[in-house]
């Protein structure tokens, strides 16, 4: 019997996993200094949560959700994105009673039943952050500068920050009307999806990647020309703060984001090395969603970054993050079995990665393993070494060699920090 992973999912294995961990660690470090704390929500939620937040007519809800009935006939969905669960948790736990802003980040798998293709998976991973309770555009700018710092930390280059404002309840209806007018005599040429979008949410036509629709939307009115006074002030201040923080950006008036819940600020970070599907992070403001979920009116903003894309980019820029053992204790004869075990364990107690040879492996094969692991020091212990209390070491990177006492191994391999 032979088993394979399901279609469209993938294992993340060494050495790739080290890139993943590097990204996750950097996110945690950077997000923490901006005051974001981790929130771990379940990966299953009531289906309603996503229908309500993402929108009934979106591709995600219509075609891509992993939805099933459990044994008690509840409708359950594997989360297709991370914002709705965090908002559900924020409201359920009355976190609106805590001082604002409340800031959270999350990291983990999301699920969408998409046609598998290069770089697209049915179980994929996102890192995201959400901030609740502040409408001040300073926080919009802080979030973009946080993303910039995060991407710089992991070594991503050639990034573009695109921003837009899609207005609010007051000004968006006017813009929708302008779009409907614009597309009314172009309807025939639109793709079937966009014909439906025209009826339900014409803003989504601007998101369409179908060639015909891309052509037809040329010359469409810009949302930024329809903003109400308050949205304009918010958008101007946002840009002003971005300049103060040295976040380079361009305004992309066609970036309306596919989800229903966005208001005002939307943004995308794209990378020049990724082709058409080139967003590495995307997000925006969703000032209405907490209320939709039964909470008090609470402005909010967040983003998600796709781990697969980030790690692919880092892999191609050959960042060397594969860890290696500090010491390999090779054994020569049965006498050394116990000694190697004790030495390696003491090193591990000091936080040093140590490997040992196992009986049945020749010294040659032990040394080959040490080499393949890119070990820093190899020490060979046999009967003679145990008797004399001295052991030879070799540094594989430069071939240098020397001798150290058995009891001196620990300080030799991992010198104690000098107290200043
Ligand atoms: Zn407005
Ligand atoms: Zn279309």
């Amino acid at each position: 019997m032979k088993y394979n992973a399901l279609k469209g999912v993938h294992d993340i294995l060494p050495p790739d996993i080290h890139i993943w961990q590097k990204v996750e660690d950097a996110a945690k470090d950077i997000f923490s200094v901006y005051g974001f704390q981790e929130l771990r929500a379940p990966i299953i939620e009531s289906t309603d949560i996503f229908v309500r937040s993402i929108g009934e007519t979106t591709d995600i809800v219509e075609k891509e959700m992993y939805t099933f009935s459990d044994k008690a006939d509840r409708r359950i969905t594997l989360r297709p994105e991370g914002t709705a669960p965090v908002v559900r948790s924020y409201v359920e736990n009355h976190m609106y009673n805590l001082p604002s802003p409340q800031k959270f980040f999350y990291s983990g798998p999301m699920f969408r039943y998409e046609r598998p293709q290069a770089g697209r998976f049915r179980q994929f991973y996102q890192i995201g952050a959400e901030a609740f309770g502040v409408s001040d555009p300073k926080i919009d700018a802080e979030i973009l500068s946080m993303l910039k710092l995060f991407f710089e930390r992991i070594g991503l280059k050639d990034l573009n920050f695109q921003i837009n404002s899609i207005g609010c309840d007051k000004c968006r209806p006017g813009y929708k009307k302008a779009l409907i007018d614009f597309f009314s005599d172009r309807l025939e040429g639109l793709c079937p999806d966009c014909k439906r979008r025209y009826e339900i949410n014409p803003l989504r036509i601007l998101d369409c990647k179908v060639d015909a629709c891309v052509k037809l939307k040329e010359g469409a009115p810009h949302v930024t020309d329809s903003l109400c006074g308050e949205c304009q002030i918010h958008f101007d201040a946002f840009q002003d703060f971005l300049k103060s923080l040295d976040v380079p950006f361009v305004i992309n008036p066609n970036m309306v984001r596919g989800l229903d819940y966005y208001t005002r600020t939307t943004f995308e970070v794209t990378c020049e090395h990724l082709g058409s599907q080139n967003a590495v992070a995307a997000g925006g403001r969703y000032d209405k969603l907490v209320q939709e979920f039964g909470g008090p009116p609470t402005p909010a903003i967040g983003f998600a970054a796709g781990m697969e894309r980030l790690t692919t980019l880092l892999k191609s820029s050959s960042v060397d993050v594969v860890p290696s053992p500090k010491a390999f204790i090779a054994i020569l004869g049965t006498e050394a079995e116990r000694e190697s075990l004790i030495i390696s364990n003491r090193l591990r107690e000091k936080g040093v990665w140590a490997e040992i040879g196992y009986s049945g492996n020749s010294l040659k094969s032990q040394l080959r393993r040490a080499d393949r692991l890119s070990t820093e020091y190899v020490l060979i212990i046999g009967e003679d070494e145990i008797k004399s209390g001295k052991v030879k070491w070799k540094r594989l990177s430069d071939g240098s060699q020397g001798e150290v006492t058995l009891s001196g191994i620990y300080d030799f391999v991992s010198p104690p920090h000098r107290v200043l």
Side-chain angles (χ1 to χ4, degrees), residues 27-28 30-40 86 95 98-99 101-107 128-130 132 146:
K28 208 169 162 184
I30 303 290
F31 298 175
S32 298
V33 296
Y34 282 81
F36 287 76
Q37 303 180 79
E38 187 174 6
L39 188 156
R40 292 192 190 177
V86 173
M95 289 191 270
L98 302 169
Q102 289 291 311
K103 298 183 273 190
F104 306 100
F105 73 89
Y106 60 83
S107 157
E130 319 287 349
F132 296 92
M146 178 168 93

Short mmCIF file of all heavy atoms in Angstrom, two decimals, residues 27-28 30-40 86 95 98-99 101-107 128-130 132 146:
data_model
loop_
_atom_site.label_atom_id
_atom_site.label_comp_id
_atom_site.label_asym_id
_atom_site.label_seq_id
_atom_site.Cartn_x
_atom_site.Cartn_y
_atom_site.Cartn_z
N ALA A 27 8.91 37.53 11.73
CA ALA A 27 7.57 38.13 11.89
C ALA A 27 7.28 38.35 13.36
O ALA A 27 6.86 39.43 13.78
CB ALA A 27 6.51 37.22 11.26
N LYS A 28 7.53 37.32 14.15
CA LYS A 28 7.25 37.41 15.58
C LYS A 28 8.05 38.55 16.22
O LYS A 28 7.52 39.33 17.01
CB LYS A 28 7.61 36.07 16.22
CG LYS A 28 6.83 35.74 17.45
CD LYS A 28 7.09 34.30 17.82
CE LYS A 28 6.68 34.05 19.25
NZ LYS A 28 7.00 32.68 19.66
N ILE A 30 9.48 41.25 14.76
CA ILE A 30 9.12 42.59 14.29
C ILE A 30 7.72 42.97 14.76
O ILE A 30 7.50 44.08 15.27
CB ILE A 30 9.19 42.66 12.74
CG1 ILE A 30 10.58 42.26 12.23
CG2 ILE A 30 8.77 44.04 12.24
CD1 ILE A 30 11.67 43.24 12.50
N PHE A 31 6.76 42.06 14.62
CA PHE A 31 5.39 42.39 15.02
C PHE A 31 5.32 42.70 16.52
O PHE A 31 4.55 43.54 16.96
CB PHE A 31 4.42 41.25 14.67
CG PHE A 31 4.33 40.94 13.19
CD1 PHE A 31 3.56 39.86 12.74
CD2 PHE A 31 4.98 41.71 12.24
CE1 PHE A 31 3.48 39.56 11.38
CE2 PHE A 31 4.90 41.42 10.89
CZ PHE A 31 4.15 40.34 10.45
N SER A 32 6.15 42.00 17.30
CA SER A 32 6.14 42.22 18.76
C SER A 32 6.54 43.64 19.14
O SER A 32 5.95 44.22 20.04
CB SER A 32 7.09 41.25 19.46
OG SER A 32 6.69 39.93 19.25
N VAL A 33 7.54 44.20 18.45
CA VAL A 33 7.96 45.54 18.84
C VAL A 33 6.95 46.60 18.39
O VAL A 33 7.02 47.75 18.83
CB VAL A 33 9.39 45.90 18.34
CG1 VAL A 33 10.42 44.98 18.97
CG2 VAL A 33 9.49 45.88 16.83
N TYR A 34 6.02 46.21 17.55
CA TYR A 34 4.90 47.10 17.22
C TYR A 34 3.68 46.81 18.12
O TYR A 34 2.61 47.34 17.89
CB TYR A 34 4.50 46.93 15.74
CG TYR A 34 5.43 47.65 14.78
CD1 TYR A 34 6.63 47.08 14.39
CD2 TYR A 34 5.09 48.91 14.27
CE1 TYR A 34 7.48 47.72 13.51
CE2 TYR A 34 5.94 49.56 13.39
CZ TYR A 34 7.13 48.96 13.01
OH TYR A 34 7.97 49.61 12.14
N GLY A 35 3.88 45.93 19.09
CA GLY A 35 2.82 45.67 20.07
C GLY A 35 1.79 44.65 19.65
O GLY A 35 0.71 44.58 20.25
N PHE A 36 2.08 43.86 18.63
CA PHE A 36 1.14 42.83 18.21
C PHE A 36 1.43 41.54 18.98
O PHE A 36 2.58 41.11 19.07
CB PHE A 36 1.24 42.56 16.70
CG PHE A 36 0.66 43.67 15.87
CD1 PHE A 36 1.35 44.86 15.69
CD2 PHE A 36 -0.59 43.53 15.28
CE1 PHE A 36 0.81 45.90 14.94
CE2 PHE A 36 -1.13 44.55 14.52
CZ PHE A 36 -0.44 45.74 14.34
N GLN A 37 0.39 40.97 19.57
CA GLN A 37 0.54 39.71 20.28
C GLN A 37 -0.13 38.59 19.49
O GLN A 37 -1.09 38.83 18.77
CB GLN A 37 -0.12 39.81 21.66
CG GLN A 37 0.43 40.95 22.50
CD GLN A 37 -0.26 40.99 23.84
OE1 GLN A 37 0.05 40.23 24.75
NE2 GLN A 37 -1.24 41.88 23.96
N GLU A 38 0.37 37.39 19.69
CA GLU A 38 -0.18 36.29 18.90
C GLU A 38 -1.58 35.90 19.38
O GLU A 38 -1.84 35.85 20.58
CB GLU A 38 0.74 35.07 18.97
CG GLU A 38 0.28 33.97 18.01
CD GLU A 38 1.23 32.79 17.94
OE1 GLU A 38 2.20 32.74 18.71
OE2 GLU A 38 0.97 31.90 17.10
N LEU A 39 -2.45 35.64 18.43
CA LEU A 39 -3.78 35.09 18.73
C LEU A 39 -3.93 33.81 17.92
O LEU A 39 -3.80 33.83 16.70
CB LEU A 39 -4.86 36.11 18.35
CG LEU A 39 -6.31 35.81 18.76
CD1 LEU A 39 -7.12 37.10 18.87
CD2 LEU A 39 -7.01 34.83 17.84
N ARG A 40 -4.16 32.71 18.62
CA ARG A 40 -4.32 31.43 17.91
C ARG A 40 -5.79 31.05 17.90
O ARG A 40 -6.33 30.62 18.91
CB ARG A 40 -3.51 30.33 18.58
CG ARG A 40 -2.03 30.56 18.44
CD ARG A 40 -1.19 29.37 18.82
NE ARG A 40 0.20 29.81 18.88
CZ ARG A 40 1.20 29.04 19.23
NH1 ARG A 40 0.99 27.79 19.57
NH2 ARG A 40 2.44 29.51 19.24
N VAL A 86 -10.26 35.98 13.67
CA VAL A 86 -9.73 36.90 14.68
C VAL A 86 -10.82 37.89 15.10
O VAL A 86 -10.98 38.19 16.29
CB VAL A 86 -8.48 37.65 14.15
CG1 VAL A 86 -8.03 38.73 15.14
CG2 VAL A 86 -7.33 36.67 13.91
N MET A 95 -13.22 41.88 23.64
CA MET A 95 -11.95 42.59 23.73
C MET A 95 -12.09 44.07 23.41
O MET A 95 -11.17 44.85 23.64
CB MET A 95 -10.90 41.91 22.84
CG MET A 95 -10.49 40.57 23.43
SD MET A 95 -9.06 39.84 22.63
CE MET A 95 -9.81 38.87 21.35
N LEU A 98 -11.36 46.33 26.26
CA LEU A 98 -9.97 46.59 26.64
C LEU A 98 -9.50 47.87 25.96
O LEU A 98 -10.09 48.33 24.99
CB LEU A 98 -9.08 45.41 26.21
CG LEU A 98 -9.49 44.05 26.79
CD1 LEU A 98 -8.74 42.91 26.10
CD2 LEU A 98 -9.24 44.02 28.29
N PRO A 99 -8.42 48.49 26.49
CA PRO A 99 -7.95 49.74 25.89
C PRO A 99 -7.56 49.55 24.41
O PRO A 99 -6.97 48.53 24.06
CB PRO A 99 -6.70 50.09 26.71
CG PRO A 99 -6.75 49.25 27.92
CD PRO A 99 -7.60 48.06 27.63
N PRO A 101 -5.48 50.65 20.90
CA PRO A 101 -5.82 49.51 20.04
C PRO A 101 -5.45 48.17 20.65
O PRO A 101 -4.53 48.07 21.45
CB PRO A 101 -4.97 49.77 18.80
CG PRO A 101 -3.77 50.50 19.31
CD PRO A 101 -4.25 51.33 20.47
N GLN A 102 -6.21 47.15 20.25
CA GLN A 102 -5.82 45.77 20.53
C GLN A 102 -5.18 45.24 19.25
O GLN A 102 -5.77 45.35 18.17
CB GLN A 102 -7.05 44.94 20.90
CG GLN A 102 -7.63 45.29 22.27
CD GLN A 102 -6.70 44.85 23.40
OE1 GLN A 102 -6.23 43.72 23.43
NE2 GLN A 102 -6.41 45.78 24.32
N LYS A 103 -3.99 44.68 19.38
CA LYS A 103 -3.25 44.30 18.17
C LYS A 103 -2.83 42.83 18.24
O LYS A 103 -2.27 42.40 19.24
CB LYS A 103 -2.00 45.19 18.03
CG LYS A 103 -2.35 46.66 17.86
CD LYS A 103 -1.13 47.53 17.65
CE LYS A 103 -0.49 48.00 18.94
NZ LYS A 103 0.55 49.02 18.75
N PHE A 104 -3.13 42.10 17.19
CA PHE A 104 -2.86 40.66 17.17
C PHE A 104 -2.18 40.24 15.89
O PHE A 104 -2.40 40.84 14.84
CB PHE A 104 -4.17 39.87 17.28
CG PHE A 104 -5.00 40.27 18.47
CD1 PHE A 104 -6.09 41.13 18.33
CD2 PHE A 104 -4.67 39.81 19.74
CE1 PHE A 104 -6.83 41.52 19.42
CE2 PHE A 104 -5.42 40.20 20.85
CZ PHE A 104 -6.51 41.05 20.68
N PHE A 105 -1.36 39.19 15.99
CA PHE A 105 -0.91 38.55 14.76
C PHE A 105 -1.23 37.06 14.83
O PHE A 105 -1.48 36.51 15.89
CB PHE A 105 0.57 38.80 14.48
CG PHE A 105 1.53 38.05 15.36
CD1 PHE A 105 1.97 36.78 15.01
CD2 PHE A 105 2.01 38.60 16.53
CE1 PHE A 105 2.87 36.07 15.80
CE2 PHE A 105 2.91 37.90 17.34
CZ PHE A 105 3.33 36.64 16.97
N TYR A 106 -1.27 36.44 13.67
CA TYR A 106 -1.55 35.01 13.60
C TYR A 106 -0.66 34.40 12.52
O TYR A 106 -0.11 35.10 11.68
CB TYR A 106 -3.02 34.74 13.29
CG TYR A 106 -3.47 35.32 11.97
CD1 TYR A 106 -3.25 34.63 10.78
CD2 TYR A 106 -4.06 36.58 11.91
CE1 TYR A 106 -3.64 35.17 9.56
CE2 TYR A 106 -4.45 37.12 10.70
CZ TYR A 106 -4.23 36.42 9.53
OH TYR A 106 -4.59 36.97 8.32
N SER A 107 -0.57 33.11 12.56
CA SER A 107 0.24 32.40 11.58
C SER A 107 -0.29 30.98 11.51
O SER A 107 -0.58 30.38 12.53
CB SER A 107 1.69 32.43 12.09
OG SER A 107 2.43 31.39 11.53
N GLY A 128 -0.39 36.96 9.40
CA GLY A 128 -1.17 38.18 9.28
C GLY A 128 -1.24 38.92 10.60
O GLY A 128 -0.83 38.40 11.64
N ALA A 129 -1.74 40.14 10.53
CA ALA A 129 -1.89 40.94 11.74
C ALA A 129 -3.16 41.78 11.63
O ALA A 129 -3.57 42.13 10.52
CB ALA A 129 -0.67 41.83 11.94
N GLU A 130 -3.77 42.06 12.77
CA GLU A 130 -4.99 42.86 12.81
C GLU A 130 -4.89 43.83 13.98
O GLU A 130 -4.45 43.44 15.06
CB GLU A 130 -6.24 41.97 13.02
CG GLU A 130 -6.27 40.66 12.25
CD GLU A 130 -6.53 40.81 10.75
OE1 GLU A 130 -6.92 41.92 10.31
OE2 GLU A 130 -6.35 39.82 10.03
N PHE A 132 -7.28 46.62 16.17
CA PHE A 132 -8.67 47.02 16.40
C PHE A 132 -8.75 48.32 17.21
O PHE A 132 -7.98 48.49 18.17
CB PHE A 132 -9.42 45.94 17.18
CG PHE A 132 -9.56 44.65 16.42
CD1 PHE A 132 -8.60 43.64 16.57
CD2 PHE A 132 -10.63 44.42 15.57
CE1 PHE A 132 -8.72 42.44 15.88
CE2 PHE A 132 -10.77 43.23 14.88
CZ PHE A 132 -9.81 42.24 15.04
N MET A 146 5.74 48.46 9.38
CA MET A 146 6.02 47.17 10.02
C MET A 146 6.29 46.10 8.96
O MET A 146 7.23 45.31 9.08
CB MET A 146 4.85 46.76 10.91
CG MET A 146 5.00 45.42 11.59
SD MET A 146 3.74 45.17 12.87
CE MET A 146 2.47 44.32 11.95
#
